[in-house]
Amino acid sequence: EMGLHIIAWNIDTDDWRSSTDATKMADNIMKNLADGAIILMHIGSNPEDGTTLDADALPGIIKEIKTAGYSLATLDQILAG
């Protein structure tokens, strides 16, 4: 009734693990990438050490996704059909 949707992700970058680095994140995304994938990323800074791993890795990840022949869309675009 309120027009709300439940959206679940299916690829976790594991950015919350302190041992994760940009290469591991990209590898995890690419090995699990498929049509319709929703990638969970936290584009902010780690409150413990101030790092911005996801934000720093995002341009390279976008390039890899596009090179693999996929396109990107926002949730608004997906829900609009």
Side-chain angles (χ1 to χ4, degrees), residues 30 60-71:
M30 297 311 294
I61 290 169
I62 290 172
K63 183 177 179 180
E64 284 191 51
I65 289 170
K66 288 181 175 181
T67 298
Y70 292 95
S71 60

Side-chain angles (χ1 to χ4, degrees), residues 40-79:
L40 174 66
M41 297 182 82
H42 300 91
I43 308 297
S45 62
N46 182 320
E48 293 180 15
D49 62 11
T51 57
T52 54
L53 178 61
D54 282 13
D56 296 341
L58 188 56
I61 290 169
I62 290 172
K63 183 177 179 180
E64 284 191 51
I65 289 170
K66 288 181 175 181
T67 298
Y70 292 95
S71 60
L72 303 170
T74 65
L75 290 176
D76 286 341
Q77 291 169 321
I78 293 168
L79 292 173

Side-chain angles (χ1 to χ4, degrees), residues 10-58:
N10 58 350
I11 299 177
D12 186 354
T13 61
D14 286 338
D15 60 333
W16 52 273
R17 295 181 192 264
S18 60
S19 62
T20 300
D21 63 33
T23 301
K24 288 180 185 177
M25 281 180 24
D27 289 347
N28 184 49
I29 290 169
M30 297 311 294
K31 76 176 180 187
N32 292 294
L33 196 58
D35 287 341
I38 296 177
I39 303 166
L40 174 66
M41 297 182 82
H42 300 91
I43 308 297
S45 62
N46 182 320
E48 293 180 15
D49 62 11
T51 57
T52 54
L53 178 61
D54 282 13
D56 296 341
L58 188 56

